[in-house]
Amino acid sequence: MDPYKLLGVSPNSTSKEVNDAYKNIIENYLKEGTDENSKSLYDEKLSELNEAYRLVSQNIAFEEVRELIGLDDFLSAEAKLNLVSDGSSPEWNYLTGVLLLKKGFI
């Protein structure tokens, strides 16, 4: 699954563009509704969309954290990193380590 393709956005999209695309897709799904026969397919599609949105949003957040670290804005970088829901991802752990190193804790 390509989360960018599923949401209809490019990897260079802004948070606002991703949010707008996600909202439009979800609104269209809700308008369509489901019957009993297609309920499981509908739920599966919504689950895929939610996962795609989570992944793309997380990638945008990580990119913003990298930029903030590059600007030596460690407080903002740490705050944004703490908002990422997947604290077990390799990228989250890497950025946390870089941030700690830059702040002089390692």
Side-chain angles (χ1 to χ4, degrees):
M1 165 190 74
D2 180 354
Y4 295 97
K5 186 175 180 181
L6 193 59
L7 292 172
V9 297
S10 76
N12 298 327
S13 297
T14 65
S15 291
K16 182 175 178 2
E17 291 169 335
V18 171
N19 288 336
D20 290 345
Y22 175 73
K23 286 178 186 177
N24 288 336
I25 293 170
I26 293 297
E27 286 174 5
N28 287 335
Y29 268 89
L30 293 175
K31 286 179 188 175
E32 289 175 11
T34 61
D35 56 19
E36 281 302 313
N37 297 333
S38 61
K39 177 89 169 105
S40 65
L41 180 61
Y42 179 81
D43 290 344
E44 185 179 323
K45 255 326 196 191
L46 281 178
S47 180
E48 278 184 20
L49 284 168
N50 288 334
E51 180 63 10
Y53 178 72
R54 186 190 69 77
L55 289 172
V56 171
S57 296
Q58 182 174 292
N59 287 343
I60 290 171
F62 287 152
E63 184 61 35
E64 290 171 353
V65 168
R66 281 188 221 98
E67 288 174 14
L68 290 167
I69 290 172
L71 296 171
D72 292 338
D73 188 353
F74 305 134
L75 187 60
S76 296
E78 186 173 18
K80 183 161 283 293
L81 193 56
N82 287 334
L83 294 175
V84 174
S85 62
D86 188 7
S88 65
S89 76
E91 182 74 7
W92 187 91
N93 284 294
Y94 171 76
L95 290 172
T96 299
V98 169
L99 190 56
L100 291 173
L101 183 66
K102 292 273 190 172
K103 288 172 66 175
F105 293 138
I106 297 178

